Amino acid sequence: MIENLTHEQIEGIMDALPFQLVFIDERDRIQYWNEFKGRMVAANIDNLGKDVRTCHKQKSLPKLEKILSDFKSGKRDEAEFWVPLEHCDMRALNRFFAIRDKSGRYLGTMEYLLNFTYIEKIAKDKKDAEHAQS
């Protein structure tokens, strides 16, 4: 079905996703990120093609190494952890998914950051509105 979409449509869809998305190829190189308007971590064009390890904090590297190793070996296909973002007083859910072809061959990793502080605020606002109505 994707062949029915233009490059511009695909790019628009990816940029409209409500989270920050990164694709890391099978050699652990950053090859893509969406232009999510609510970006929590700055995207630096100089990082395209570079090893993903250069873009993560030193303290998170052991987790990242384990995730990539497990994905490549087929031990697991997804992982997640919480990331406190002190610079913007937010908490993000950082999720990773192994990307595989139809035969199961590892193609890379999709990483996304979801602003969980925003989701919690929406839930609180909804709960407050429901209480106000009762």
Side-chain angles (χ1 to χ4, degrees):
M1 289 189 303
I2 199 163
E3 63 274 359
N4 295 326
L5 301 173
T6 66
H7 175 84
E8 291 80 16
Q9 289 169 328
I10 294 169
E11 187 172 51
I13 290 167
M14 299 299 279
D15 290 347
L17 293 172
F19 48 82
Q20 193 170 322
L21 176 84
V22 176
F23 177 72
I24 304 151
D25 71 14
E26 72 280 359
R27 297 175 303 127
D28 303 336
R29 307 273 181 217
I30 298 170
Q31 296 300 338
Y32 170 83
W33 60 73
N34 66 342
E35 294 296 332
F36 172 57
K37 291 173 184 51
R39 185 165 286 286
M40 294 163 279
V41 177
N44 182 341
I45 196 72
D46 293 338
N47 289 334
L48 275 178
K50 289 189 178 174
D51 192 296
V52 68
R53 291 164 190 84
T54 63
C55 303
H56 282 76
K57 292 183 179 181
Q58 194 68 30
K59 67 180 181 180
S60 70
L61 288 180
K63 282 184 199 174
L64 178 64
E65 291 289 351
K66 177 80 170 124
I67 290 167
L68 295 174
S69 174
D70 286 354
F71 285 3
K72 289 174 184 179
S73 72
K75 185 174 181 179
R76 62 181 169 163
D77 286 323
E78 60 183 89
E80 63 188 22
F81 55 88
W82 292 102
V83 179
L85 301 169
E86 294 89 10
H87 69 280
C88 55
D89 196 33
M90 286 187 213
R91 187 167 61 121
L93 178 60
N94 197 6
R95 296 196 74 196
F96 297 80
F97 296 90
I99 304 300
R100 302 185 188 285
D101 67 12
K102 294 192 186 305
S103 70
R105 182 175 59 96
Y106 176 76
L107 301 174
T109 296
M110 178 182 74
E111 174 185 6
Y112 79 79
L113 275 172
L114 177 65
N115 180 346
F116 209 79
T117 304
Y118 177 70
I119 292 171
E120 288 173 328
K121 181 184 179 325
I122 291 171
K124 181 185 178 314
D125 290 350
K126 183 176 179 177
K127 184 178 177 182
D128 290 348
E130 288 171 358
H131 284 305
Q133 291 176 354
S134 51

